Amino acid sequence: MNEQTLSDLQKRRHTRALQIIKRWRLMDDDFMKRCLKNNIPAVECILRIIMEQPDLHVLSVTIEDTIPSLLGHGIRMDVHAVDSAGTEYDIEVQRSDKGAGARRARFNSSLLDLNSLKKGNTYDQLPESYVIFITENDIFKAGLARYHINRIIEELSRPFNDGEHIIYVNGDYRGSDDIGKLMNDFRSSKVDDMILEPLKETVNRYKNNPREVAAMCADLEKWSMDERSEGRAEGAELLARLLKLLQAEGRADDVRLALEDKEARERLYKEYHLE
């Protein structure tokens, strides 16, 4: 490969990286994690609205925090936050309905609790926990902004009060209230379309600050070059990205389809806005 060809290839990679960054939204996994990493004000803004607690204070934020299981499958949380009351939050952003299934919510909640009870503590010291799914679609199709799942004592029709909670936030909700503003900001690829200042400032930094944009471009270009260096055919970087997203959401059947069925692969590209 001569210098001119190499230069043209680098320019194309850079242009493609810029196009990806331009389309990215908080609803997109990689961009969301980058924006929320160590970003207490942004996560605090999100939780205050979802929890309807304007005085909620976040103490810590960890991206991709992993909780292993000695006997089987562990979890890797998109965002793990702890507030000043000791309440634990697992925030999962899911564009695919399959990634936000009821049994996944149950499993995440169980491991979050397992990790929260320290040796020597009593069960009464187990903190409140919330597994929060922010889904791109209204998976319950009732038009509500959020759906709360809590155990009840059926015969008595009263709460069980075990401190375990699951919340689904409808990313397709378009109300003018605070949760509607939050979902607007998660859907927006343009900074000017965003409303909530902590999120708007964060997205603006990563989309318009030359240093941050250059760092993201470098990451995307390096990833592309790494894929090519392994001898993959043209377009493999897109497929690898798709497979990574599918695997992260446990979509084993769709991984197989992506590898074997061109039409299914194109459909999945569109689902994840990988174009």
Side-chain angles (χ1 to χ4, degrees):
M1 183 180 296
N2 59 43
E3 289 186 6
Q4 181 61 45
T5 302
L6 181 59
S7 176
D8 289 344
L9 180 58
Q10 290 172 335
K11 288 178 181 177
R12 288 199 297 272
R13 285 174 180 156
H14 187 72
T15 298
R16 176 168 178 76
L18 288 173
Q19 290 172 342
I20 291 172
I21 292 168
K22 185 178 180 180
R23 293 197 302 268
W24 263 345
R25 311 159 301 157
L26 289 173
M27 193 64 77
D28 294 302
D29 185 71
D30 287 344
F31 187 61
M32 177 274 298
K33 290 174 185 174
R34 189 178 289 262
C35 286
L36 298 186
K37 184 177 181 180
N38 300 321
N39 192 339
I40 286 179
V43 174
E44 198 169 71
C45 173
I46 292 167
L47 285 176
R48 283 179 174 181
I49 291 174
I50 292 174
M51 300 299 298
E52 299 181 276
Q53 296 179 22
D55 59 349
L56 185 150
H57 292 288
V58 171
L59 296 183
S60 66
V61 173
T62 307
I63 300 300
E64 294 190 324
D65 196 9
T66 300
I67 299 179
S69 171
L70 296 178
L71 300 177
H73 192 66
I75 62 170
R76 186 175 62 185
M77 294 176 279
D78 284 352
V79 181
H80 181 195
V82 181
D83 71 13
S84 58
T87 302
E88 302 258 354
Y89 302 91
D90 169 18
I91 305 173
E92 302 289 336
V93 176
Q94 291 295 325
R95 298 188 55 198
S96 166
D97 293 356
K98 291 182 179 179
R103 291 181 185 265
R104 182 187 175 190
R106 167 187 165 188
F107 186 75
N108 278 32
S109 186
S110 66
L111 280 192
L112 186 61
D113 284 346
L114 182 65
N115 190 62
S116 299
L117 189 63
K118 306 305 179 185
K119 187 175 181 179
N121 286 359
T122 66
Y123 293 119
D124 289 339
Q125 292 173 289
L126 189 66
E128 296 278 317
S129 69
Y130 289 83
V131 173
I132 300 171
F133 285 102
I134 301 175
T135 60
E136 184 160 32
N137 305 309
D138 181 4
I139 65 173
F140 295 110
K141 304 187 186 307
L144 302 179
R146 49 169 92 71
Y147 303 90
H148 297 81
I149 293 89
N150 297 289
R151 288 191 179 97
I152 64 167
I153 305 171
E154 292 184 3
E155 289 77 7
L156 303 178
S157 297
R158 72 186 189 200
F160 187 49
N161 291 326
D162 60 348
E164 181 182 86
H165 314 274
I166 298 167
I167 301 175
Y168 285 82
V169 184
N170 173 14
D172 197 40
Y173 179 72
R174 298 173 187 270
S176 59
D177 52 357
D178 285 344
I179 194 76
K181 294 174 184 176
L182 179 63
M183 291 303 96
N184 169 81
D185 287 3
F186 264 79
R187 291 190 303 267
S188 297
S189 61
K190 297 179 180 179
V191 175
D192 289 345
D193 293 336
M194 299 182 72
I195 301 168
L196 301 169
E197 197 56 40
L199 303 184
K200 186 173 184 177
E201 184 278 330
T202 297
V203 171
N204 181 61
R205 173 163 26 106
Y206 282 98
K207 291 223 175 196
N208 295 317
N209 182 295
R211 180 177 177 180
E212 299 293 354
V213 171
M216 286 192 290
C217 282
D219 287 346
L220 287 168
E221 291 168 40
K222 181 180 183 302
W223 176 76
S224 176
M225 287 188 289
D226 288 346
E227 291 296 319
R228 288 177 180 274
S229 69
E230 292 174 5
R232 307 218 177 197
E234 184 176 357
E237 63 267 29
L238 198 62
L239 176 59
R241 184 172 172 79
L242 174 63
L243 295 177
K244 178 183 175 183
L245 292 169
L246 293 172
Q247 288 169 345
E249 295 181 357
R251 299 175 62 175
D253 291 342
D254 286 332
V255 168
R256 178 182 56 77
L257 284 173
L259 291 169
E260 299 176 359
D261 188 318
K262 182 178 179 181
E263 290 186 4
R265 184 163 60 248
E266 293 300 324
R267 172 178 55 77
L268 290 165
Y269 283 152
K270 290 180 180 179
E271 178 181 336
Y272 284 98
H273 296 274
L274 298 175
E275 300 174 359

